[in-house]
Amino acid sequence: MDHMSPRLRAFLSEPIGEKDVAWVDGISRELAINLVTKGFNKAYILLGQFLLMHKNEAEFQRWIICCCGATEHEARQSSTCLKEWCSCFL
């Protein structure tokens, strides 16, 4: 995919492992702080939330906006990042 941001390309280049949540494309510094305070300090924990929502991007976006303070842009980018990671690794 040529339209991938460098950050998304880097995230998709390897398994999640122990990456901090800030590695997820679309997660700003401020949003990362909000996520960490809610217990989502690792990318795999955020991925788990996405999977609990059955990879439903719209539901995940609503959740991350309402519960974590993401902007619509951040919500779209992060859900796309997690969806693409699932396509590559699951």
Side-chain angles (χ1 to χ4, degrees):
M1 295 173 68
D2 292 333
H3 63 280
M4 273 195 232
S5 71
R7 192 168 167 197
L8 177 58
R9 190 172 289 115
F11 189 77
L12 297 178
S13 69
E14 60 189 18
I16 278 184
E18 292 290 323
K19 290 179 183 168
D20 289 333
V21 73
W23 275 81
V24 177
D25 190 36
I27 304 296
S28 66
R29 186 180 183 304
E30 181 180 336
L31 180 55
I33 291 168
N34 292 347
L35 287 163
V36 167
T37 61
K38 294 183 182 309
F40 295 89
N41 60 320
K42 297 291 184 181
Y44 71 83
I45 298 172
L46 190 62
L47 173 65
Q49 183 68 26
F50 182 71
L51 294 174
L52 284 172
M53 296 177 170
H54 304 279
K55 298 190 275 187
N56 182 319
E57 288 185 84
E59 186 178 350
F60 179 81
Q61 289 172 20
R62 280 191 299 274
W63 170 80
I64 202 165
I65 289 169
C66 293
C67 296
C68 305
T71 65
E72 286 186 24
H73 178 72
E74 289 171 326
R76 274 192 312 276
Q77 263 190 300
S78 59
S79 67
T80 297
C81 179
L82 295 173
K83 178 188 74 173
E84 292 295 330
W85 189 91
C86 288
S87 295
C88 292
F89 292 97
L90 296 183

